[in-house]
């Protein structure tokens, strides 16, 4: 991930160092990070929803609800869910916020296929549309959406700043962006237990259930390398977002970033 805005101060140099770290699922592959991410999620799509809830003990559902509550006062009518995966966040957003339409985009057709099946079964095809799409080249005009959501997807962007800039472009003035992402807890003993679980147990669960140890070994490495807290807030601000906030959840295991245009 490249943070290209160069400002001569210590904080920005720190941000650049953090965001230049590129972690990929398959180190020996010659594919780009974007191509590797799409391949990885295609491979684990059949067990993705189950593993999300299983490995977080269902707490991820609570985290998603907390993130979406930040959009209630906005009452968005047209929403975009970036890195939508199988559409879980979009489905929850429809239930909690009742917008007119939600469009979900993702680079993994395998994940989208499972998502479309869920949406059809719920009778929500008239409200939620899932389509193949890249966060760095969002195929919508400027000022299209009232709100944009991303759940556990921004750390997978090949170019973080470009993806954020694209979301800013398609967001209406006064609209809001809500990002839910993993982060690293710092409080003892949560930090130590989290690192043990994430680094050693998660890959084994991934290998056993999803048949992909690489995908769930990539997960802790991608979280470790991703800019977090104030660093991520500074990146959002430098991209052009306003009123940027960060709220830590469950001892800092996840974080909600909220920003306005």
């Amino acid at each position: 991930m490249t943070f290209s805005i160069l400002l001569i101060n210590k904080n920005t140099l720190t941000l650049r160092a953090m965001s230049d770290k590129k972690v990929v699922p398959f180190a020996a592959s010659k594919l780009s990070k974007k191509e590797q991410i799409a391949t990885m999620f295609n491979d684990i799509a059949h067990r993705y929803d189950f593993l999300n809830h299983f490995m977080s003990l269902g707490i991820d559902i609570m985290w998603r609800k907390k993130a979406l509550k930040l959009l209630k006062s906005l009452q968005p009518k047209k929403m975009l869910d970036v890195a939508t995966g199988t559409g879980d966040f979009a489905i929850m957003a429809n239930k909690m916020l009742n917008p007119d339409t939600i469009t979900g985009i993702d680079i993994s057709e395998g994940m989208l296929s499972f998502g479309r099946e869920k949406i059809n079964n719920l009778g929500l095809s008239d409200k939620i549309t899932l389509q193949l799409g890249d966060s760095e080249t969002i195929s919508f005009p400027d000022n299209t959406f009232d709100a944009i959501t991303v759940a556990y997807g921004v750390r997978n962007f090949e170019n973080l700043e470009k993806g954020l800039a694209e979301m800013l472009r398609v967001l209406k003035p006064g609209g809001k962006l809500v990002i839910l992402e993993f982060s690293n807890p710092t409080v003892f003993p949560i930090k130590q237990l989290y690192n043990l679980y994430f680094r050693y147990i998660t890959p084994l669960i991934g290998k056993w259930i999803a048949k992909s140890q690489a995908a769930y070994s990539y997960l802790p490495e991608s979280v470790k390398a991703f800019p977090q807290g104030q660093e991520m807030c500074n990146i959002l601000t430098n991209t052009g977002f306003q009123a940027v906030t960060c709220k830590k959840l469950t001892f800092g295991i996840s974080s909600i970033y909220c920003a306005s245009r």
Side-chain angles (χ1 to χ4, degrees):
M1 302 173 185
T2 303
F3 185 63
S4 60
I5 296 178
L6 293 177
L7 299 175
I8 305 176
N9 61 59
K10 184 178 179 181
N11 289 339
T12 304
L13 291 176
T14 301
L15 285 173
R16 182 175 176 84
M18 286 292 295
S19 58
D20 275 343
K21 295 179 183 178
K22 182 173 286 189
V23 177
V24 295
F26 312 108
S29 175
K30 294 183 180 180
L31 296 175
S32 68
K33 177 175 180 177
K34 191 179 302 182
E35 292 169 325
Q36 290 189 43
I37 292 294
T39 299
M40 179 186 76
F41 280 113
N42 284 339
D43 290 343
I44 66 173
H46 64 296
R47 302 301 283 166
Y48 180 77
D49 287 343
F50 171 78
L51 279 171
N52 266 358
H53 305 322
F54 177 79
M55 291 195 295
S56 72
L57 303 177
I59 299 174
D60 66 303
I61 297 172
M62 178 187 71
W63 293 337
R64 292 168 196 263
K65 288 180 178 179
K66 284 182 178 291
L68 289 172
K69 282 180 181 178
L70 297 177
L71 295 174
K72 277 202 167 183
S73 61
L74 184 65
Q75 297 182 323
K77 298 301 180 185
K78 194 170 185 178
M79 295 182 62
L80 175 68
D81 187 36
V82 175
T84 193
T86 62
D88 262 10
F89 209 34
I91 292 168
M92 185 180 286
N94 178 73
K95 184 177 181 180
M96 290 182 61
L97 304 173
N98 193 31
D100 292 338
T101 61
I102 302 176
T103 302
I105 62 171
D106 201 284
I107 60 174
S108 167
E109 184 58 46
M111 297 282 277
L112 292 171
S113 294
F114 279 91
R116 292 187 190 107
E117 184 177 350
K118 286 195 299 186
I119 289 165
N120 285 336
N121 290 340
L122 291 169
L124 296 175
S125 298
D126 59 331
K127 294 195 67 178
I128 304 175
T129 303
L130 303 187
Q131 61 187 55
L132 199 64
D134 184 353
S135 63
E136 296 174 21
T137 53
I138 298 175
S139 59
F140 290 96
D142 297 358
N143 311 325
T144 298
F145 299 99
D146 301 303
I148 299 176
T149 55
V150 195
Y152 305 109
V154 289
R155 75 180 189 285
N156 297 323
F157 289 2
E158 186 157 23
N159 186 315
L160 174 62
E161 187 189 15
K162 189 174 180 182
L164 294 175
E166 272 292 271
M167 289 190 282
L168 180 68
R169 179 184 66 79
V170 299
L171 192 62
K172 293 180 181 179
K176 284 187 177 181
L177 167 68
V178 172
I179 295 171
L180 179 61
E181 189 54 84
F182 285 117
S183 49
N184 291 307
T186 58
V187 178
F188 177 86
I190 303 301
K191 174 182 177 180
Q192 288 72 21
L193 292 172
Y194 173 86
N195 288 337
L196 176 67
Y197 178 75
F198 228 22
R199 184 169 296 276
Y200 298 107
I201 298 176
T202 296
L204 292 178
I205 294 174
K207 180 180 181 180
W208 173 45
I209 298 178
K211 311 302 180 186
S212 177
Q213 184 169 350
Y216 289 90
S217 296
Y218 161 78
L219 175 58
E221 293 301 321
S222 66
V223 174
K224 182 180 178 181
F226 190 74
Q228 298 172 23
Q230 190 58 49
E231 292 171 348
M232 181 61 175
C233 289
N234 289 345
I235 292 175
L236 284 161
T237 299
N238 289 331
T239 303
F241 287 97
Q242 301 176 13
V244 179
T245 62
C246 172
K247 179 179 177 60
K248 293 184 178 181
L249 305 172
T250 316
F251 305 104
I253 294 175
S254 275
S255 297
I256 302 173
Y257 302 93
C258 185
S260 301
R261 178 176 175 186

